[in-house]
Amino acid sequence: MRALILLFFFCLFPCSPALLADEGHHHAAGGAEKIGRVVFPVSCSAEAQRDFSRAVALLHSFWYEEAEKAFRAIAEKDPTCAMAHWGVAMTNFRLLWYAPDPATREKMREELGRAESLKPRTARERDYIAALFGYFRDPQRKDHPALMVEYEQAMEKLHQRYPRDKEAGIFYALALLGAAQAQPPDKTYPRQRKAGAILEPLFRAQPDHPGLAHYVIHTYDFPVLAEQGLDAARRYARIAPAVPHALHMPSHIFIRLGLWDDAIRSNRASAEAARAYARNRGWEGAWDQQLHAMDYLAYAYLQKGEQAEAEHVLEELRSIKTGMPMSATAHYAFAAIPARLAIESRHWNQAMALQPRPDASPWAVAMVHWARAVAAARSGNMDASREDLAKLTELRDQLRQSKTPFWTDQTEVLHLSAAAWAAHAQGNGQEAERLMRASADLEDSTDKHPVTPGAITPAREMLGDLLMELKRPKEALVEYEASLKSAPQRFNGLYGAARAA
């Protein structure tokens, strides 16, 4: 017990310099722009070649807005450069985030049609275009998971056909990660391990390549693999310090490992860079990269017990006016930050007062109703809890009908855990435990989405909380320890485990 409590307080006040990242203070090898170095040969003009490698560097760091501008500028300077249109299409293919909607599909299909019509000069370029066009050629085909497997297979053939083309290997690894994201979770991570086997040797040979550092982090963004991504996490922000996403991305590994100080520094730098970018573009409101960083920042502050700092993030969020289309990242941040702060801080009245945004996605609305339902149950307000539980049921069914399995499962995890607290509030401990175990088991069978730092509150950690309230600390300790394996160094997990011990 004493060792566990000491671990808890060490988590609150880490002091080892070896754990601290040095983010954003080093010059990358890619010149004054500091975006890293990429070499992607194309058969376009000499000027277009230089600009093309720069555009691919931006693409590899998911700076899609700037990458699309760069590829379109290449197409204007060299109207015969077919690969410029491939590049525009790739900037709209957010394959690690979400499936393209119908309008995006049509836009990409048109760009790839232009690329084909320009009759690329090399077989290699024709193969790059054809591999991506396979996803979009038939506008009636809408099965994203199956299409992602086809794209993965096409990129594998391209990689095998051009073994000396390092970019082919990198884009094949990215296709593996995209296909893995689109399929039901496989907890042995075969595609991720295959991607890592491709990326790691390339990264050793090209240590200033932004895509290699970036994709290694995504490859290992899972609790059981996260240690393998720590070196890339330490290095990515130094490779491309001009890119807001490159400043944020290391925190995916830092949060998996419970390195809260590192995650805080990473997301402070990213949020500030994103604010500056939005100001320079003249955008009203916040760019989604800022909101993404703020979400991770609030999460990390809470795990350090820095409540005031987390509240400052929430205050900033409430001051933001959105002046651009809402992405999945933005929807998540606007719902998750206030819900997480209220529930993890046990501020039940604050949670019950939350309101979903009128333009929010159904799964984002569900997060708000979950927080309200849990808070109402834990406050003894059963009428309010039942009302929000009914809304959760409705939203889950709506998501199921829209065939979005990831968000359907996540909403069901929330629904089950809220129902568990409602059953507990009504004195039915056995039913409460059954529901909460079902919630935890379902959550364990899923993987987190790239737009999230993790569950708002892990269901297995809540199972520990529930068992403590049922006066069963020995069993609660087992659940806290299991939760801490997948979500290490969480404040409530450590505190609950210490209490249970």
Side-chain angles (χ1 to χ4, degrees), residues 6 40 59 62 76 84 132 177 217 243 355:
L6 286 173
F40 192 120
L59 173 64
F62 293 177
E76 288 183 11
L132 185 57
L177 299 179
I217 293 171
V243 182
Q355 296 293 330

Side-chain angles (χ1 to χ4, degrees), residues 149-405:
V149 171
E150 288 183 17
Y151 177 63
E152 172 204 330
Q153 293 168 345
M155 289 306 300
E156 181 179 23
K157 290 176 183 176
L158 191 151
H159 174 47
Q160 292 169 345
R161 193 172 296 138
Y162 307 100
R164 298 179 64 184
D165 180 1
K166 295 181 175 63
E167 290 297 311
I170 295 168
F171 278 107
Y172 171 45
L174 180 61
L176 282 164
L177 299 179
Q181 181 68 35
Q183 307 305 312
D186 183 339
K187 293 294 190 170
T188 65
Y189 303 108
R191 282 186 167 94
Q192 289 86 350
R193 294 180 191 277
K194 191 172 185 178
I198 296 167
L199 295 168
E200 288 194 33
L202 291 172
F203 194 27
R204 288 192 291 271
Q206 301 176 86
D208 53 358
H209 191 294
L212 287 166
H214 187 186
Y215 303 149
V216 166
I217 293 171
H218 273 297
T219 296
Y220 299 130
D221 187 13
F222 306 94
V224 298
L225 302 177
E227 284 282 355
Q228 294 172 252
L230 187 55
D231 177 61
R234 297 273 187 224
R235 292 162 59 185
Y236 186 25
R238 286 178 273 181
I239 293 169
V243 182
H245 191 64
L247 299 175
H248 155 77
M249 198 62 213
S251 67
H252 280 237
I253 297 297
F254 297 150
I255 280 181
R256 296 284 76 74
L257 298 174
L259 302 177
W260 308 123
D261 283 326
D262 295 339
I264 288 167
R265 268 193 301 277
S266 178
N267 287 292
R268 274 179 174 169
S270 177
E272 182 50 44
R275 287 187 202 99
Y277 179 69
R279 285 195 300 268
N280 290 339
R281 291 291 300 268
W283 287 340
E284 180 184 353
W287 183 34
D288 62 1
Q289 290 293 316
Q290 177 190 340
L291 294 165
H292 191 46
M294 289 169 64
D295 184 25
Y296 276 67
L297 188 58
Y299 184 92
Y301 278 137
L302 285 171
Q303 307 325 313
K304 283 201 72 188
E306 296 185 359
Q307 181 72 25
E309 295 293 347
E311 294 286 353
H312 288 157
V313 176
L314 179 59
E315 288 172 14
E316 181 181 3
L317 182 79
R318 287 173 171 162
S319 71
I320 288 172
K321 297 178 181 177
T322 54
M324 58 200 76
M326 289 274 282
S327 67
T329 305
H331 282 297
Y332 189 88
F334 274 114
I337 292 173
R340 183 179 290 118
L341 261 70
I343 294 299
E344 292 210 5
S345 306
R346 310 295 202 264
H347 291 164
W348 308 133
N349 289 335
Q350 181 179 326
M352 285 188 287
L354 295 176
Q355 296 293 330
R357 292 174 62 88
D359 58 349
S361 296
W363 47 263
V365 175
M367 288 191 284
V368 175
H369 285 285
W370 168 81
R372 288 162 51 114
V374 169
R378 302 201 71 177
S379 302
N381 187 342
M382 297 315 301
D383 287 341
S385 184
R386 278 189 287 269
E387 186 176 329
D388 283 299
L389 276 169
K391 187 63 178 177
L392 274 171
T393 302
E394 178 188 325
L395 290 162
R396 179 205 58 198
D397 294 345
Q398 180 182 341
L399 288 162
R400 188 171 287 153
Q401 290 173 5
S402 67
K403 296 182 180 180
T404 51

Side-chain angles (χ1 to χ4, degrees), residues 60 66 69 71 97 122 193 210-211 290 325 350 358 367 397 408 414 417 453 481:
H60 277 315
E66 289 300 301
K69 281 169 49 183
F71 283 121
W97 290 359
T122 70
R193 294 180 191 277
Q290 177 190 340
Q350 181 179 326
M367 288 191 284
D397 294 345
T408 301
L414 299 177
S417 64
E481 289 176 340

